[in-house]
Amino acid sequence: MAGQLIKEWSAIQQFPSATQEKLVDLLGKLKNQNVNTLTILVMGKGGVGKSSTVNSVIGERVVTVSAFQSETPRPVMVSRSRSGFTLNIIDTPGLVEGGYVSDQVLDTIKSSLGRFLLNKTVDVLLYVDRLDAYRVDNMDKQIVKAISDSFGKEIWHKAVVVLTHAQLSPPDALTYEEFFSKRWESLLKCIRQGARINKNEAQQFAIPVALVENSGRCNKNEHDEKILPMGTPWIPNLIHTITDVTLNGKRGILVDQKLIEGPNANDRGKIYIPLILAFQFLFIIKPIQKMIKADVERENKPSWA
Ligand SMILES: Nc1nc2c(ncn2[C@@H]2O[C@H](COP(=O)(O)OP(=O)(O)O)[C@@H](O)[C@H]2O)c(=O)[nH]1
Ligand SMILES: [Mg+2]
């Protein structure tokens, strides 16, 4: 973005003053630690609320949200500045296409990152899913695995899991807290498996979760702030979690040539293809050919031989 003028983050004034104060505090905390730019990458399945969350955080409709249409095909970076502080948020297309994790989407994300941020770092990954889902499945694990293979397992040091649709009434007579902790427990387990984070590493990879409700019907407190069912204003809470992860002492994700051109999940297996072919030739095809040859020789001998 060299030389390009970054838009002023004026939509921050759309937030209720209680939220504005907290945001200004958090941005101050980052600046005190010499963090003048905060770059956030948003990824997840399609339709989970990635774009809506980007709009909620910026405070205006900066990216397209659609219930039924297929999403924007390319990643978009939205940048806003405020008193010397720059916020970059990168919204991306859903990672699942036609029932598979799409390598093509992952490649597009990486090459777009190269265009937006070459030799700069991503500070935080927002991994978005919905709170109101009752199961995790193998696809969820595949997505986490694909992200880890493409960006390195370390990306989970910089991750915040965002669960949208947080204003829900839990099923089966569970309390909200019970439902949340069950959902989070199973998703966290799935993330650890997909990212191959073992028991000993779980402590280092303490992945935080933040709840989000993008709906216009989100409840508000007496200060007009959008709140979660337990009363927490969710926008300041999300930015607080993002700030903590930014300052957690772990290195951000460097967008260099190696990352952009590096292999992703399925490509990695491809290096074994020549080996597998060689194996098949030496240990399966060759012996069969030998057997056939021996057979033919036997057949060709005259019966009286
Ligand atoms: N009720 C509710 N609807 C949401 C929430 N987040 C997104 N949506 C809706 O879900 C649909 C998909 O959202 P979108 O942000 O485009 O998802 P994306 O495909 O992940 O970018 C849209 O109709 C949104 O209005 C949320 O937190 N609560
Ligand atoms: Mg979207």
Side-chain angles (χ1 to χ4, degrees):
M1 299 224 78
Q4 214 168 310
L5 207 61
I6 296 172
K7 269 198 185 170
E8 184 73 15
W9 190 8
S10 46
I12 209 169
Q13 288 152 16
Q14 305 299 312
F15 292 126
S17 51
T19 294
Q20 282 185 49
E21 278 163 30
K22 287 173 217 159
L23 295 189
V24 168
D25 262 10
L26 289 166
L27 301 190
K29 197 172 158 193
L30 288 168
K31 282 180 84 174
N32 279 341
Q33 300 293 317
N34 291 320
V35 179
N36 293 314
T37 306
L38 177 61
T39 303
I40 302 171
L41 174 63
V42 184
M43 291 199 283
K45 286 178 282 200
V48 292
K50 298 181 298 298
S51 304
S52 305
T53 304
V54 168
N55 291 338
S56 294
V57 167
I58 299 279
E60 69 180 293
R61 214 181 163 85
V62 284
V63 287
T64 327
V65 168
S66 52
F68 301 106
Q69 251 175 336
S70 72
E71 299 175 280
T72 18
R74 356 189 97 264
V76 176
M77 179 157 92
V78 179
S79 302
R80 289 291 182 273
S81 79
R82 198 201 135 86
S83 19
F85 182 89
T86 304
L87 173 67
N88 301 315
I89 305 191
I90 299 138
D91 189 21
T92 63
L95 291 174
V96 177
E97 265 178 12
Y100 292 95
V101 181
S102 167
D103 284 337
Q104 207 188 330
V105 173
L106 276 164
D107 283 343
T108 316
I109 294 175
K110 286 200 281 187
S111 65
S112 299
L113 285 177
R115 268 185 295 119
F116 301 146
L117 299 163
L118 189 60
N119 297 326
K120 297 194 178 133
T121 47
V122 170
D123 300 294
V124 175
L125 164 69
L126 294 188
Y127 180 72
V128 184
D129 203 337
R130 292 171 63 144
L131 176 64
D132 63 339
Y134 304 124
R135 289 204 174 88
V136 293
D137 57 26
N138 195 44
M139 182 54 69
D140 296 301
K141 211 190 291 178
Q142 290 306 318
I143 297 169
V144 173
K145 183 176 179 296
I147 292 176
S148 311
D149 288 345
S150 289
F151 292 87
K153 180 181 183 175
E154 298 72 31
I155 194 169
W156 298 100
H157 277 139
K158 289 290 167 186
V160 173
V161 174
V162 167
L163 297 178
T164 61
H165 295 249
Q167 187 166 285
L168 61 78
S169 318
D172 307 332
L174 292 171
T175 65
Y176 187 83
E177 284 77 6
E178 283 166 346
F179 177 80
F180 164 72
S181 69
K182 276 185 201 293
R183 168 79 175 125
W184 176 224
E185 207 178 286
S186 59
L187 191 56
L188 184 59
K189 194 172 151 203
C190 160
I191 292 171
R192 284 182 181 151
Q193 285 174 349
R196 299 204 182 83
I197 297 169
N198 63 36
K199 282 224 169 70
N200 301 328
E201 297 169 311
Q203 202 77 36
Q204 302 175 43
F205 284 91
I207 303 169
V209 58
L211 294 172
V212 161
E213 178 51 72
N214 292 308
S215 165
R217 276 175 247 146
C218 184
N219 288 330
K220 292 178 175 174
N221 64 13
E222 68 275 23
H223 307 295
D224 208 33
E225 300 176 278
K226 291 181 170 180
I227 52 167
L228 298 168
M230 59 279 207
T232 322
W234 71 258
I235 291 177
N237 184 62
L238 172 63
I239 306 294
H240 190 252
T241 312
I242 288 172
T243 306
D244 282 351
V245 169
T246 306
L247 301 177
N248 71 2
K250 305 267 172 32
R251 235 183 298 154
I253 304 119
L254 179 65
V255 180
D256 58 2
Q257 219 61 40
K258 201 171 125 227
L259 177 93
I260 300 162
E261 286 161 11
N264 61 34
N266 294 343
D267 286 349
R268 237 174 232 185
K270 285 181 192 149
I271 63 167
Y272 296 112
I273 290 176
L275 279 178
I276 293 167
L277 290 177
F279 177 87
Q280 286 179 341
F281 180 75
L282 285 175
F283 296 100
I284 302 172
I285 298 173
K286 257 285 175 70
I288 290 175
Q289 279 178 337
K290 256 190 191 166
M291 275 156 61
I292 293 172
K293 209 176 155 200
D295 240 21
V296 169
E297 271 167 12
R298 226 182 303 125
E299 296 268 306
N300 283 348
K301 279 181 190 160
S303 53
W304 39 263

